[in-house]
Amino acid sequence: MNNKFGSLSLSLIGLCSPLLLASAPALALDWAAAPVKEVPMFYAGQTGMEWMYDKKAHDGAARFEKRGMHCLECHTGDEKKFGPNQVGGKTDTDPFPGRTPFVNARVQAAFDAGNFYLRVQVPKTAAGGKVMDSKYLQKLTVMLDDGGVPEFAQGGCWAVCHQDSTAMPEAAGREITKYLAGSRKEIQKRIGGGTDFVADGDLAGLMAKGYFLEYWQARFNTAADVSAIDGIILKDRQTNDSALVTAQVTDSGADWVVDFSRPLAADANHKALAPGKQYNIGLALHDQSSNGRFHIVSFEYSLTLGGDGNINAVKQ
């Protein structure tokens, strides 16, 4: 099936693995052997996927659409200025008071014969101007793709954030969660795809081809109060009934250290992980008791297991 966003055609590739495994236990690892990648995270305001292609709003729109350039190719090093600009209201009609605009996360990865491990260390931030989530002080999310979602490889988290999503400029009071453009019959420029979904059979076909994102989320208030969920993003954001991912949190004083673990093998709602293949990930942090679009996010980063990705997992 051919979906278009402006002149953007969505090619669909991917894989789906049939194995269902229990969650992997968290094990002691030699993290000193894993290289550290600094991953800047910043407040993005109301800049969704459609904004990326809007030549009036985004001066890099032509390079992004016609030349297929990735966010990091143009904006490495710009993250620290982007956050304050958005907090200041540059593209935000309803800014979050007291929003921390930028943090540097430190990311490491490892794997062994059966499991994959990801460590994300984020600075603690001061309380914001309002409590949006009274249940969780922090939520750290990882989105993962294996090449099945080309717009995620190019634009990272912006592939699932749209101008008509909840609390975005074109939401018109609707509650629309994260979604991929291919799940809609049409993406309207500067607006989004609304709830005009493709047929259920087409959605099943997209899943079978690997056109979906896997996500993990660690929710916590303290290091002793942690829960983990995982799920998929396609038509919307869906939480799996039983998570493969586990999460542990350590309070290092100035930072939160979040350790995710997951089996390498996967069922239909997860991406199989293997050496020799490149993956793409994006990070989102709901700190300061924030919720919804009021998070800070990273650009897209490549991930390899024993390779040369931006983030490279070392074998243990």
Side-chain angles (χ1 to χ4, degrees), residues 23 133 135-136 138-144 178 213-220 225-233 237-249 258-263 269-270 284 286 291:
S23 296
D133 186 339
K135 190 172 182 180
Y136 299 109
Q138 310 273 345
K139 299 187 292 287
L140 178 64
T141 304
V142 178
M143 284 184 284
L144 171 72
K178 298 185 184 302
L213 296 180
E214 176 181 344
Y215 76 87
W216 315 335
Q217 188 175 84
R219 303 169 166 184
F220 59 98
D225 179 19
V226 185
S227 62
I229 61 171
D230 63 18
I232 65 166
I233 301 172
R237 183 182 57 226
Q238 300 176 17
T239 303
N240 293 322
D241 292 335
S242 180
L244 289 188
V245 71
T246 64
Q248 294 181 344
V249 174
V258 183
D259 290 324
F260 292 100
S261 62
R262 208 216 76 178
N269 279 12
H270 295 82
H286 288 91
N291 208 4

Side-chain angles (χ1 to χ4, degrees), residues 23-54:
S23 296
L27 301 175
L29 297 171
D30 179 14
W31 284 112
V36 176
K37 176 67 177 179
E38 284 204 354
V39 175
M41 302 181 69
F42 63 98
Y43 183 63
Q46 292 175 305
T47 58
M49 181 179 178
E50 294 73 26
W51 180 91
M52 302 282 275
Y53 290 91
D54 185 352

Side-chain angles (χ1 to χ4, degrees), residues 14-312:
L15 56 87
C16 193
S17 179
L19 299 178
L20 178 63
L21 299 177
S23 296
L27 301 175
L29 297 171
D30 179 14
W31 284 112
V36 176
K37 176 67 177 179
E38 284 204 354
V39 175
M41 302 181 69
F42 63 98
Y43 183 63
Q46 292 175 305
T47 58
M49 181 179 178
E50 294 73 26
W51 180 91
M52 302 282 275
Y53 290 91
D54 185 352
K55 295 178 179 64
K56 293 182 179 180
H58 179 207
D59 59 9
R63 294 190 296 273
F64 189 77
E65 180 175 1
K66 295 180 180 179
R67 294 165 58 185
M69 295 186 71
H70 296 198
C71 297
L72 277 176
E73 290 183 272
C74 288
H75 295 303
T76 297
D78 290 338
E79 300 93 338
K80 199 165 185 176
K81 70 179 181 182
F82 284 167
N85 285 345
Q86 306 310 330
V87 168
K90 184 174 181 179
T91 65
D92 201 328
T93 60
D94 181 28
F96 180 77
R99 188 10 125 188
T100 295
F102 170 88
V103 300
N104 254 329
R106 293 164 58 84
V107 181
Q108 296 168 277
F111 70 102
D112 56 25
N115 299 309
F116 173 78
Y117 309 93
L118 187 73
R119 168 168 284 190
V120 183
Q121 184 171 334
V122 293
K124 293 180 180 177
T125 52
K130 61 180 176 180
V131 174
M132 303 184 72
D133 186 339
S134 60
K135 190 172 182 180
Y136 299 109
L137 175 66
Q138 310 273 345
K139 299 187 292 287
L140 178 64
T141 304
V142 178
M143 284 184 284
L144 171 72
D145 181 47
D146 60 357
V149 184
E151 62 266 40
F152 185 76
Q154 185 183 14
C157 301
W158 281 259
V160 298
C161 181
H162 297 269
Q163 296 303 101
D164 59 2
S165 297
T166 304
M168 293 290 277
E170 302 298 331
R174 295 173 295 181
E175 296 290 326
I176 299 178
T177 69
K178 298 185 184 302
Y179 65 88
L180 291 175
S183 67
R184 269 48 176 183
K185 292 180 181 178
E186 180 185 6
I187 298 292
Q188 297 183 57
K189 286 188 174 183
R190 303 191 180 94
I191 298 176
T195 56
D196 193 10
F197 309 118
V198 301
D200 288 347
D202 292 329
L203 288 171
L206 294 175
M207 279 290 296
K209 293 176 180 178
Y211 183 76
F212 70 94
L213 296 180
E214 176 181 344
Y215 76 87
W216 315 335
Q217 188 175 84
R219 303 169 166 184
F220 59 98
N221 296 299
T222 67
D225 179 19
V226 185
S227 62
I229 61 171
D230 63 18
I232 65 166
I233 301 172
L234 176 53
K235 175 183 176 182
D236 51 17
R237 183 182 57 226
Q238 300 176 17
T239 303
N240 293 322
D241 292 335
S242 180
L244 289 188
V245 71
T246 64
Q248 294 181 344
V249 174
T250 303
D251 183 347
S252 73
D255 300 324
W256 296 110
V257 182
V258 183
D259 290 324
F260 292 100
S261 62
R262 208 216 76 178
L264 296 175
D267 59 21
N269 279 12
H270 295 82
K271 305 283 188 176
L273 296 167
K277 184 174 176 61
Q278 180 171 301
Y279 302 86
N280 300 293
I281 68 169
L283 304 179
L285 176 65
H286 288 91
D287 58 340
Q288 301 182 293
S289 299
S290 62
N291 208 4
R293 72 166 184 83
F294 296 94
H295 49 17
I296 53 177
V297 298
S298 75
F299 285 136
E300 73 291 342
Y301 285 83
S302 61
L303 167 72
T304 52
L305 282 65
D308 58 359
N310 298 137
I311 299 166
N312 180 42

